[in-house]
């Protein structure tokens, strides 16, 4: 590509690396985000596998207790901040400008800045494994859990610097997320091509708009809370120091005021992916577009007002608990609308069961399951019963793994041909899907049972006679299937990059603007500025006898 | 994508032309609102929660370096910040007209007033630390006070730094009429810093002083 | 797409500034947990990156013009016609379109209930030598006192137990028969198999799991073979009876005039395919 800054003084591999490091192209940054996210996904997955190995049977000694604490802290932190966030920001980065028919993001250099802040922030967090002085005086990762409850994080209980690494790494990558969030909102509102009014945008773009707004308003409170914690730890302030009048519950409020919108920040992109994939593979227009937009905006608003449901068990007043129980159940309504609309899109369609569609259907089923256990947990008395148990672990893995990760794989299989110019292998993809489906349900299904039987989360081992053995063993066996599935995925990507079938511009016969340009798209995206009259511009071009704008 | 007969197609809808710079700065301000909102909420939540002195009444009522009541001194100080918001508007208008000299003058006025405010804060902190022995770790009030006022001062400092750069560019003759849009964005940021101060002042020196008897 | 040469495409030039600045900021924060020289180096990096960045954007952004070398394939109109959803009789209908009369369910339930009772009483007589045993045990669902009875007591006639069990049998069979009448038209392929085997199997499974809560007396005394046999007998009789009844149309796709019973030319839609 002629736009690349070729440095003749560097050797070819170095020159290519240099191109990527200095790039401000939204597509390259998107790919960098996603690849970094997938690398962290492997690391976080390895941490999870170590924990499952340790818990496979009572009384094992695979890892030390203090290492186990680090494993679950780093696993949670990694998966939320270093896997979910970059993959969602990366896919928005890559696809939003293409879908709205523009050449780049509103602030291309800020975009690069956001990515590198995320990248170095993640690196800083992982540097703690080598650099931080932990509780036991040696190199140590954070070990206070991903939501880092006070007062465990106070200097008295968390010696050394491991918690500081958690604060600083996440704060730096959080600044990057805010920058990219601002960039996305501005891009979507200011850079749309001719004819693309807000209600003509692909639903993907709508959802990413709401998502980016949530990022802009939810990350700063976390940064503020982390600053206070940092001052507590390094300047001797008393924000979360109970003995000096501070409040540990305040940290919980502040963290979850960020944390629950964050959950929706993570799951909304999953909605965005399947909202594009299901119509294309059902050969039908998305059912109830205006209602889907309304549901997305509603979810955005309500998600700011449900955070206390993470704190039902800490003894707040019944009035507060009831209020947040109601708001939590309320959020099930727009989410249910979406479920029904996806199913209604499939209903009566000519469904093509390619890998992206398989993963999307897997998403629908598993997200529904996770959503329903979520409604169960919203009921305060039930939550008291299973709070901090493996039931909760099973619930949110069904939402974030069965929901988000499955939809991410759907998205990768769907857009990989656009990004790389080559198709991923369908056969290997189906192997991956079925192995992951079996492995996932085998691992996280039994957790609901072990949780009901009273197994608390975050314990390092357990006694033999609790009746938890078989459920834990099943969970751990599931990991083998999942690992095999991920191996299939990696092999598929490597193989397809080298000798996959060339994709052509529009391999899926899809309808949004990104499929009207070459695969991979050129640096300038479109030769001419696109003009749009309906939500499916490529449909209009392919079927001039029956265009969509007649109906919208 | 132009296979359709032209007479058949509806006219293209207008997408509007929202300026991206303005929207970007508004979003930055929105995220700052949530940042300061958190700090302010924490401050309000912790009013009267401190164990051990010095209390807000102790430090604000006691004369520091003179017979002044502290909130009054800070109000005097705040006037400079509020007035600077006016000067920056005048500066922007001057640049819109292309009057670069007038722009330079009002810009310097803005910068000077902002600096006086910052110096006032520094003086206040000096008094609190040296005379009253109040610092971050002294008590919960100290933690909240220095964090909230400190982050505001940090934003003032950031604004002043950018202003200084712009002033140097003006002296070098590099500021022109076409930069008026960017100056307007800067002025929005400055107004925001101003508005935050009004809230912080009310919370810290009025409600905080009066509520924590 | 031949108009691409009319447009001058400008793209933002690559820039090292953002990366350097981000690296510097990270190092600056890392200084808090390592040592101050790290922070100093970080600040220097951040300033250098920031200055580089600003000089690219101010006063005017540096842009590059790419050579357009590749073009997408133009999108051709598709020859095939668009398939439309065609509306037919079953479109957006509430299934089932035809139902059995409810009376068939009620009578089927009553007859099935008689056969079921006969099977259960036969079983009771063969196993325990007394038909009252089954009746007493069934009444135990509603009468906790039955649970305390001795085996001899269970074998003897008890008027209140007889009344209770009889009423229960009548009411339950009436309602379950009605339920059969309603759901039979919804069951796919072989409704009688569903009614005879699958529904009793689900019901018996549920009872097996819940019996210790619902009726502890029944649980200790129940003879599962005869219990299942009685359920299957009910299912067989009731479902056969219901299926034998003639189906009636739900009229939901009829026009208003048709439902009024008007018979005139043009009221009934013309049948194309028959």
């Amino acid at each position: 590509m002629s736009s690349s800054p070729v440095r003749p003084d560097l050797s070819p591999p170095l020159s290519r690396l240099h191109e990527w490091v200095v790039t401000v192209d939204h597509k390259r940054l998107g790919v960098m985000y996603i690849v970094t996210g997938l690398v962290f996904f492997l690391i976080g997955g390895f941490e999870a596998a170590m924990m499952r190995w340790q818990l496979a049977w009572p009384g094992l000694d695979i890892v030390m207790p203090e290492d186990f604490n680090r494993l679950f802290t780093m696993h949670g932190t990694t998966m939320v901040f270093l896997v979910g966030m970059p993959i969602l920001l990366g896919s928005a980065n890559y696809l939003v400008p293409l879908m709205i028919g523009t050449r780049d993001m509103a602030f291309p250099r800020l975009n690069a800045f956001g990515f590198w802040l995320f990248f170095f922030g993640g690196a800083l967090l992982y540097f703690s494994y080598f650099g931080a002085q932990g509780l036991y005086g040696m190199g140590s990762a954070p070990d206070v859990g991903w939501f880092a409850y006070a007062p465990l994080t106070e200097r008295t209980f968390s010696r050394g610097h491991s918690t500081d690494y958690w604060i600083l790494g996440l704060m730096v990558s959080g600044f990057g997320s805010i920058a990219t969030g601002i960039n996305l909102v501005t891009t979507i509102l200011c850079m749309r091509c001719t004819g693309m009014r807000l209600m003509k945008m692909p639903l993907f773009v709508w959802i990413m708009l709401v998502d980016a707004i949530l990022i802009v308003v939810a990350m700063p409170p976390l940064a503020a809370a982390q600053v206070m914690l940092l001052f507590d730890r390094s300047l001797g302030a008393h924000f979360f120091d109970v003995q000096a009048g501070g409040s540990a519950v305040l940290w919980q409020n502040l963290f979850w005021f960020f944390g629950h919108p964050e959950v929706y920040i993570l799951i909304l992109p999953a909605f965005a992916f399947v909202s594009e994939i299901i119509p294309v593979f059902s050969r039908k227009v998305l059912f109830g577009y205006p209602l889907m937009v309304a549901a997305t905006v509603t979810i955005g608003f309500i998600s700011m007002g449900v955070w206390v449901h993470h704190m039902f068990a800490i003894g707040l007043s019944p009035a507060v608990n009831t209020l947040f129980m109601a708001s939590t159940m309320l959020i099930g309504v727009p989410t249910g609308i979406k479920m029904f609309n996806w199913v209604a899109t499939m209903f009566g369609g000519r469904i093509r069961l390619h890998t992206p569609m398989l993963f999307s259907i897997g998403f629908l089923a598993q997200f529904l399951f996770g959503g329903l256990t979520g409604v169960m947990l919203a009921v305060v008395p039930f939550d008291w019963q299973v709070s901090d148990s493996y039931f909760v672990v099973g619930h949110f893995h069904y939402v974030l793994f069965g929901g988000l990760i499955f939809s991410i794989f759907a998205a990768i299989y769907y857009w990989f041909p656009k990004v790389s110019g080559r198709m991923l292998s369908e056969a290997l993809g189906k192997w991956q899907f079925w192995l992951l489906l079996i492995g996932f349900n085998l691992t996280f299904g039994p957790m609901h049972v072990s949780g009901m039987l009273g197994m608390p989360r975050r314990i390092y081992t357990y006694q033999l006679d609790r009746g938890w053995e078989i459920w834990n063993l099943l969970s751990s066996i599931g990991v083998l299937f999942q690992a095999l599935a991920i191996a299939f995925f990696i092999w598929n990507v490597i193989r397809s990059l080298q000798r996959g079938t060339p994709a052509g511009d529009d391999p899926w016969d899809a309808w949004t603007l990104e499929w009207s340009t070459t695969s991979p798209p050129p640096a300038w995206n479109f030769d001419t500025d696109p003009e749009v009259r309906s939500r499916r511009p490529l449909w209009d071009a392919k079927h001039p006898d029956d265009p969509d704008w007649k109906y919208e | 994508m132009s296979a359709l007969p032209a007479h058949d197609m509806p006219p293209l809808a207008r997408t509007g032309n929202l300026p991206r710079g303005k929207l970007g700065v508004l979003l930055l301000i929105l995220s700052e609102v949530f940042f300061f909102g958190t700090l302010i909420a924490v401050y309000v939540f912790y009013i009267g929660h401190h164990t051990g002195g010095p209390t807000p009444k102790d430090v604000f009522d006691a004369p520091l370096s003179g017979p002044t009541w502290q909130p009054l001194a800070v109000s005097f100080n705040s006037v400079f910040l509020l007035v600077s918001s006016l000067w920056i508007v005048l500066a922007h208008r001057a640049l819109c007209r292309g009057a670069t000299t007038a722009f330079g003058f009002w810009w310097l006025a803005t910068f000077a007033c902002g600096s006086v405010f910052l110096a006032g804060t520094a003086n206040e902190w000096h008094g609190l630390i040296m005379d009253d022995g109040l610092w971050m770790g002294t008590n919960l009030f100290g933690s909240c006070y220095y964090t909230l006022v400190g982050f505001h001062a940090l934003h003032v400092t950031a604004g002043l730094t950018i202003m200084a750069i712009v002033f140097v560019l003006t002296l070098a003759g590099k500021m022109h009429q076409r930069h008026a849009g960017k100056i307007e964005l800067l002025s929005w940021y400055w107004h925001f810093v101003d508005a935050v101060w009004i809230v912080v002042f009310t919370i810290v020196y009025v409600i905080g002083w009066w509520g924590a008897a | 797409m031949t108009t691409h040469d009319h447009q001058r495409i400008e793209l933002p030039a690559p820039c090292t500034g953002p990366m350097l600045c981000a690296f510097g900021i990270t190092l600056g924060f890392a200084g808090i947990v390592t040592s101050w020289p790290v922070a100093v180096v970080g600040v220097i990096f951040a300033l250098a990156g920031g200055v580089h960045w600003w000089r690219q954007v101010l006063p005017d952004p540096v842009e590059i013009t790419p050579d357009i070398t590749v073009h997408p394939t133009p999108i051709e109109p598709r020859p095939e016609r668009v398939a439309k959803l065609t509306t037919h009789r079953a479109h957006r209908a509430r299934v089932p379109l035809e139902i059995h009369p409810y009376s068939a369910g009620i009578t089927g339930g009553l007859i099935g209930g008689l056969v079921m009772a006969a099977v259960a009483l036969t079983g009771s007589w063969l196993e325990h030598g007394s038909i009252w045993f089954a009746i007493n045990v069934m009444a135990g669902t509603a009468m906790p006192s039955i649970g305390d009875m001795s085996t001899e007591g269970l074998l003897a006639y008890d008027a209140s137990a007889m009344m209770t069990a009889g009423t229960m049998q009548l009411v339950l069979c009436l309602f379950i028969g009605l339920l059969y009448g309603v759901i039979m038209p919804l069951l796919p392929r072989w409704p009688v198999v569903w009614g005879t085997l699958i529904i009793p199997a689900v019901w018996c499974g549920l009872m097996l799991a819940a019996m210790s809560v619902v009726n502890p007396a029944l649980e200790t005394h129940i003879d599962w073979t005869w219990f299942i046999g009685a359920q299957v007998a009910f299912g067989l009789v009731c479902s056969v009876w219901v299926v034998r009844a003639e189906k009636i149309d739900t009229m939901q796709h009829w026009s208003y005039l048709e439902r009024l019973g008007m018979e005139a030319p043009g009221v009934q839609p013309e049948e194309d395919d028959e």
Side-chain angles (χ1 to χ4, degrees):
Chain A
M1 254 175 273
S2 58
S3 60
S4 318
V6 179
R7 293 272 303 262
D9 52 322
L10 297 172
S11 63
L14 261 183
S15 171
R16 285 197 62 161
L17 184 69
H18 178 257
E19 275 177 40
W20 283 84
V21 167
V22 301
T23 191
V24 292
D25 180 351
H26 73 98
K27 297 179 288 298
R28 291 192 164 191
L29 287 165
V31 170
M32 277 150 68
Y33 261 123
I34 294 170
V35 169
T36 316
L38 288 175
V39 170
F40 276 122
F41 177 68
L42 294 182
I43 297 173
F46 173 76
E47 286 157 355
M50 290 299 289
M51 285 190 281
R52 281 311 333 160
W53 190 7
Q54 163 68 25
L55 290 172
W57 200 250
L60 289 183
D61 270 325
I62 310 299
V63 294
M64 303 300 288
E66 58 269 25
D67 285 326
F68 193 85
N69 291 350
R70 290 174 197 140
L71 283 177
F72 68 66
T73 303
M74 290 300 271
H75 168 74
T77 309
T78 304
M79 289 300 189
V80 170
F81 292 96
L82 307 181
V83 178
M85 292 299 281
I87 291 181
L88 88 87
L89 292 175
S91 47
N93 236 309
Y94 196 100
L95 291 170
V96 163
L98 284 169
M99 282 187 171
I100 63 174
T102 181
R103 298 202 192 287
D104 209 318
M105 299 281 276
F107 310 111
R109 295 162 195 85
L110 184 69
N111 201 16
F113 182 63
F115 166 75
W116 288 109
L117 275 180
F118 149 72
F119 181 86
F120 290 125
L124 181 61
L125 178 66
Y126 265 89
F127 180 71
S128 63
Y129 260 114
F130 316 103
Q133 289 287 305
L135 178 57
Y136 304 94
M138 46 191 150
S140 156
D143 53 2
V144 288
W146 86 275
F147 39 72
Y149 270 5
L152 181 63
T153 46
E154 291 291 292
R155 208 162 36 167
T156 325
F157 307 107
S158 175
R159 295 278 175 184
H161 280 315
S162 65
T163 305
D164 298 318
Y165 273 94
W166 180 87
I167 296 171
L168 295 171
L170 294 192
M171 205 151 73
V172 169
S173 70
F175 292 152
S177 304
I178 296 173
T180 310
I182 291 176
N183 210 343
L184 274 171
V185 178
T186 314
T187 307
I188 294 171
L189 292 183
C190 302
M191 310 276 286
R192 279 165 288 133
C193 69
T194 322
M196 187 174 280
R197 287 179 299 146
L198 283 176
M199 288 309 273
K200 301 276 180 214
M201 297 194 304
L203 195 68
F204 181 95
V205 181
W206 252 114
I207 296 180
M208 284 302 179
L209 174 65
V210 174
D211 206 46
I213 293 174
L214 277 181
I215 290 176
V216 171
V217 300
M219 298 301 283
L222 175 70
Q226 287 179 321
V227 163
M228 290 178 224
L229 184 59
L230 189 68
F231 284 175
D232 268 17
R233 293 177 53 82
S234 52
L235 297 177
H238 301 290
F239 286 106
F240 309 114
D241 175 2
V242 182
Q243 282 172 326
S247 162
V249 175
L250 183 71
W251 168 267
Q252 300 191 13
N253 271 304
L254 293 178
F255 186 87
W256 290 118
F257 183 75
F258 146 80
H260 204 83
E262 170 70 12
V263 173
Y264 281 90
I265 290 169
L266 290 175
I267 199 64
L268 279 174
F271 298 171
F273 296 144
V274 297
S275 297
E276 292 304 315
I277 294 170
I278 286 179
V280 168
F281 288 89
S282 303
R283 312 309 302 156
K284 271 178 71 191
V285 68
L286 182 73
F287 185 90
Y289 174 94
L291 211 58
M292 288 294 250
V293 172
T296 309
V297 176
T298 314
I299 289 177
F301 274 109
I302 306 180
S303 74
M304 305 291 291
V306 296
W307 76 92
V308 171
H309 69 218
H310 295 270
M311 303 151 58
F312 279 160
I314 64 166
L316 297 172
S317 77
V320 173
N321 283 350
T322 312
L323 184 73
F324 280 90
M325 175 169 112
S327 68
T328 305
M329 293 195 161
L330 198 62
I331 209 164
V333 175
T335 316
I337 289 175
K338 282 172 175 281
M339 290 300 295
F340 283 115
N341 282 0
W342 291 318
V343 174
T345 307
M346 290 166 66
F347 183 80
R350 294 202 178 137
I351 294 177
R352 301 185 301 188
L353 283 179
H354 292 293
T355 316
M357 188 62 172
L358 285 179
F359 274 107
S360 300
I361 296 173
F363 160 86
L364 285 186
Q366 287 160 177
F367 179 73
L368 175 66
F369 189 95
L372 290 178
T373 49
V375 176
M376 291 164 74
L377 286 168
V379 181
V380 177
F382 184 82
D383 184 85
W384 283 352
Q385 196 63 33
V386 295
S387 187
D388 258 339
S389 79
Y390 261 81
F391 188 89
V392 176
V393 180
H395 155 70
F396 68 70
H397 280 92
Y398 263 83
V399 176
L400 288 179
F401 192 147
L404 178 62
I405 299 290
F406 268 66
S407 78
I408 285 175
F409 280 121
I412 290 176
Y413 277 88
Y414 182 62
W415 279 292
F416 186 87
K418 177 52 64 186
V419 177
S420 70
R422 290 180 185 276
M423 306 293 287
L424 283 169
S425 153
E426 274 289 306
L428 290 175
K430 283 180 175 149
W431 271 99
Q432 187 209 342
F433 170 72
W434 288 109
L435 282 170
L436 198 61
L437 188 86
I438 294 168
F440 165 76
N441 285 292
L442 196 55
T443 297
F444 297 104
M447 285 187 184
H448 295 93
V449 184
S450 50
M452 294 281 242
L453 293 176
M455 180 167 170
R457 65 196 282 203
R458 296 179 167 170
I459 52 170
Y460 135 80
T461 190
Y462 48 94
Q463 287 171 338
L464 188 59
D465 55 352
R466 297 293 173 95
W468 304 339
E469 303 88 351
I470 181 66
W471 308 110
N472 277 288
L473 188 62
L474 284 176
S475 287
S476 298
I477 290 171
V479 174
L480 299 177
F481 287 86
Q482 294 184 54
L484 200 58
I486 300 303
F488 266 99
F489 170 69
I490 296 172
W491 171 238
N492 197 353
V493 168
I494 294 173
R495 206 199 68 112
S496 301
L497 278 177
Q498 286 165 351
R499 48 202 169 91
T501 326
D505 292 356
D506 184 14
W508 307 115
D509 195 6
W511 303 310
T512 36
L513 280 177
E514 77 269 27
W515 303 103
S516 71
T517 183
T518 52
S519 308
W524 56 93
N525 288 356
F526 301 99
D527 287 2
T528 49
D529 290 334
E531 292 178 348
V532 167
R533 285 189 167 76
S534 80
R535 289 167 204 143
R536 299 193 300 171
L538 267 64
W539 171 274
D540 294 353
K542 288 169 184 172
H543 301 281
D545 51 322
D546 189 25
D548 264 8
W549 45 259
K550 283 191 178 165
Y551 306 102
E552 281 174 8
Chain B
M1 268 168 281
S2 50
L4 293 170
H7 60 86
D8 225 19
M9 290 197 286
L12 282 167
R14 289 167 53 97
T15 41
N17 46 354
L18 213 58
R20 49 178 136 160
K22 286 187 179 176
L23 187 62
V25 169
L26 283 181
L27 286 164
L28 177 72
I29 290 175
L30 177 69
S31 77
E32 292 270 23
V33 164
F34 273 78
F35 182 82
F36 275 106
T38 311
L39 293 181
I40 289 168
V42 169
Y43 194 98
V44 172
F45 177 76
Y46 277 148
I47 287 177
H49 274 58
H50 49 264
T51 53
T55 65
K57 271 239 186 304
D58 293 341
V59 297
F60 291 156
D61 282 352
L64 297 172
S65 43
T68 27
W69 177 56
Q70 187 67 9
L72 195 66
V74 179
S75 323
F76 176 70
N77 204 359
S78 310
V79 170
F80 280 91
L81 189 65
L82 297 182
V83 165
S84 75
S85 241
L86 187 63
W87 302 154
I88 203 169
V89 171
L90 293 175
H92 172 238
R93 287 197 182 161
L95 197 62
C96 284
R97 290 197 313 270
T100 42
T101 318
F103 167 75
F105 173 75
W106 291 121
W107 198 253
L108 189 62
T110 316
F111 180 81
C113 285
S115 304
V116 169
F117 172 80
L118 201 60
T121 306
N123 180 46
E124 188 194 352
W125 281 31
H126 183 265
L128 288 176
I129 296 169
M130 292 304 171
D131 303 341
D132 297 306
L134 180 75
W135 179 232
M136 278 268 186
T138 314
N139 60 10
L140 193 57
F141 163 62
S143 309
C144 295
Y145 171 82
Y146 284 105
T147 306
L148 181 55
V149 177
F151 266 103
H152 181 263
L154 191 68
H155 281 75
V156 174
T157 315
L160 288 178
T161 312
I162 301 172
M163 280 183 199
I165 295 170
V166 172
F167 188 67
V168 171
L169 288 175
T170 316
L171 289 184
K174 291 200 173 163
M175 291 305 291
H176 302 288
Q177 200 166 357
R178 65 197 163 93
H179 295 118
K182 294 202 166 63
I183 292 301
E184 190 184 5
L185 300 184
L186 208 53
S187 76
W188 286 4
Y189 170 79
W190 195 247
H191 295 324
F192 164 72
V193 171
D194 229 12
V196 169
W197 180 249
I198 295 174
V199 180
V200 170
F201 179 84
T202 317
I203 297 297
V204 174
Y205 296 98
V206 181
I207 299 174
W209 160 80
W210 173 71
Chain C
M1 302 258 177
T2 53
T3 51
H4 51 83
D5 43 5
H6 297 314
Q7 274 183 320
R8 184 182 151 77
I9 295 177
E10 285 183 333
L11 294 173
C15 179
T16 331
M19 192 275 277
L20 275 185
C21 191
F23 184 62
I25 289 174
T26 314
L27 273 193
F29 279 110
I32 299 176
V33 282
T34 46
S35 60
W36 63 266
V38 175
V40 172
V41 173
V43 170
I44 293 171
F45 267 102
L47 284 179
V51 168
H52 182 69
W53 181 353
W54 284 337
R55 289 179 65 94
Q56 277 234 319
V57 196
L58 295 171
D60 293 298
V62 182
E63 285 182 331
I64 52 170
T65 311
D67 304 327
I68 298 182
T69 45
V70 288
H71 303 291
T73 355
I75 298 167
E76 297 296 336
R78 296 295 151 91
E80 67 267 30
R81 292 194 57 79
V82 181
K84 289 279 162 91
L85 274 180
T86 46
T87 52
H88 50 89
R89 191 163 164 264
H91 182 68
R92 296 216 161 185
R94 292 182 299 278
V95 287
L97 291 169
E98 292 181 324
I99 55 171
H100 300 292
Y102 295 150
S103 60
I106 293 172
T107 44
L110 291 177
I111 299 170
L114 285 178
V115 176
M116 178 188 181
V119 172
L121 297 183
T122 314
S124 175
W125 187 62
L126 288 178
E127 298 285 331
H128 302 284
S130 159
I131 59 165
W132 308 119
F133 186 83
I135 293 171
N136 289 335
V137 167
M138 183 177 178
T141 311
M143 297 168 63
S145 60
I146 302 271
D148 306 328
M149 275 190 178
S150 61
T151 316
E152 290 75 40
L154 285 173
L155 291 173
Y157 169 74
D158 184 299
S160 58
M162 178 67 208
M163 288 279 285
T164 314
T167 317
M168 279 172 66
Q169 178 75 357
L170 183 71
V171 172
L172 283 176
C173 288
L174 208 67
F175 278 100
I176 293 175
L178 190 59
L179 205 60
Y180 263 67
V182 173
I183 64 174
M184 270 297 148
L186 285 167
L187 298 173
R189 207 102 31 128
W190 303 292
V192 175
V193 174
W194 282 88
T196 312
L197 296 177
I198 298 183
I199 296 175
V202 172
W203 173 245
C204 291
L206 201 67
M207 289 307 287
L208 195 62
M211 191 61 86
S212 61
V213 183
V214 178
N215 188 342
L218 200 56
E219 198 201 14
T220 44
H221 298 293
I222 196 160
D223 187 334
W224 282 104
T225 324
W226 286 100
F227 181 81
I228 295 170
Q231 309 295 330
V232 171
F234 174 86
L236 181 68
V237 173
C238 186
S239 51
V240 168
W241 185 269
V242 171
V243 169
R244 274 182 59 249
E246 200 174 331
K247 281 190 173 179
I248 46 176
D249 199 298
T250 51
M251 295 190 234
Q252 52 183 299
H253 57 278
W254 290 20
S255 71
Y256 180 62
L257 288 177
E258 282 178 289
R259 268 180 278 176
L260 280 181
M262 296 272 284
E263 288 192 24
V267 169
Q268 272 79 15
E270 285 166 30
E271 302 276 331
D272 295 335
D273 47 349
E274 278 178 278

